[in-house]
Amino acid sequence: MRELTLSIIKPDATRRNLTGAINSYFEKAGLSIVAQKRLMLSRSQAETFYAVHKERPFFQELCKSISSGPVVVQVLSGNNAVALNRKIMGATNPENADKNTIRKDFGVSIAENSAHGSDSLENAEKEIRFFFSEMEIIP
Ligand code: ATP
Ligand code: MG
């Protein structure tokens, strides 16, 4: 089934000029980038975006890291896009990620793991709406 999912190329990756390299992983695996923009998240926008994690011990570190530099937010489209994107990214901790995944190849640490991807269709819809209006998504 064709789905849309939200992806974020995190500051650790934009800082190292890896936007194009990471985008090629999505496109090679059959996902299309149907919306994309580069922006800076303020600390308070980061806290809103990651509100589901606010009780977790790494919440402050996570919000600091995602607002430390430019991010590229994007909508990916394709068959089973939510799960496929998670597979392309690899495990949260780059050390545990499979080979040829974004996090294995580019991740620096569990906090600076180069990419975010929605974890369910329901969250994908919410996260896409957080960043994009309907007219910015061109399937
Ligand atoms: P994401 O939601 O970013 O796609 P994920 O679903 O694989 O990643 P989550 O458990 O949702 O992992 O954690 C969200 C983010 O929080 C991770 O991508 C990672 O950067 C950070 N994180 C998770 N666990 C830790 C930890 N133990 N220490 C520091 N940061 C962490
Ligand atoms: Mg998650």
Side-chain angles (χ1 to χ4, degrees):
M1 194 185 67
R2 188 184 154 276
E3 293 175 352
L4 299 179
T5 191
L6 184 90
S7 165
I8 304 178
I9 302 177
K10 294 184 177 182
D12 73 88
T14 61
R15 217 177 268 136
R16 287 175 289 149
N17 215 19
L18 292 171
T19 299
I22 289 175
N23 279 347
S24 77
Y25 281 56
F26 302 132
E27 292 184 334
K28 268 189 238 150
L31 292 177
S32 300
I33 301 162
V34 298
Q36 176 168 263
K37 55 193 174 188
R38 180 172 153 110
L39 50 87
M40 283 286 295
L41 281 174
S42 68
R43 184 66 179 253
S44 96
Q45 287 171 318
E47 287 173 8
T48 305
F49 180 75
Y50 276 132
V52 287
H53 295 310
K54 65 176 180 294
E55 304 306 330
R56 298 176 77 175
F58 55 83
F59 180 66
Q60 292 304 328
E61 182 187 357
L62 179 60
C63 293
K64 185 175 171 200
S65 158
I66 198 86
S67 58
S68 69
V71 293
V72 174
V73 296
Q74 45 196 191
V75 180
L76 306 178
S77 167
N79 278 335
N80 297 314
V82 173
L84 178 56
N85 180 38
R86 305 273 298 176
K87 189 162 174 247
I88 297 165
M89 288 194 301
T92 311
N93 186 342
E95 280 181 19
N96 302 332
D98 288 341
K99 65 173 193 247
N100 300 320
T101 61
I102 290 168
R103 285 164 167 174
K104 182 63 153 194
D105 292 351
F106 303 120
V108 179
S109 65
I110 191 165
E112 298 202 313
N113 58 3
S114 303
H116 163 86
S118 308
D119 61 9
S120 67
L121 207 46
E122 192 192 345
N123 284 336
E125 276 169 28
K126 285 186 200 155
E127 292 179 0
I128 289 169
R129 224 176 307 125
F130 185 87
F131 287 110
F132 292 96
S133 69
E134 208 61 58
M135 68 182 285
E136 291 178 298
I137 302 167
I138 321 291

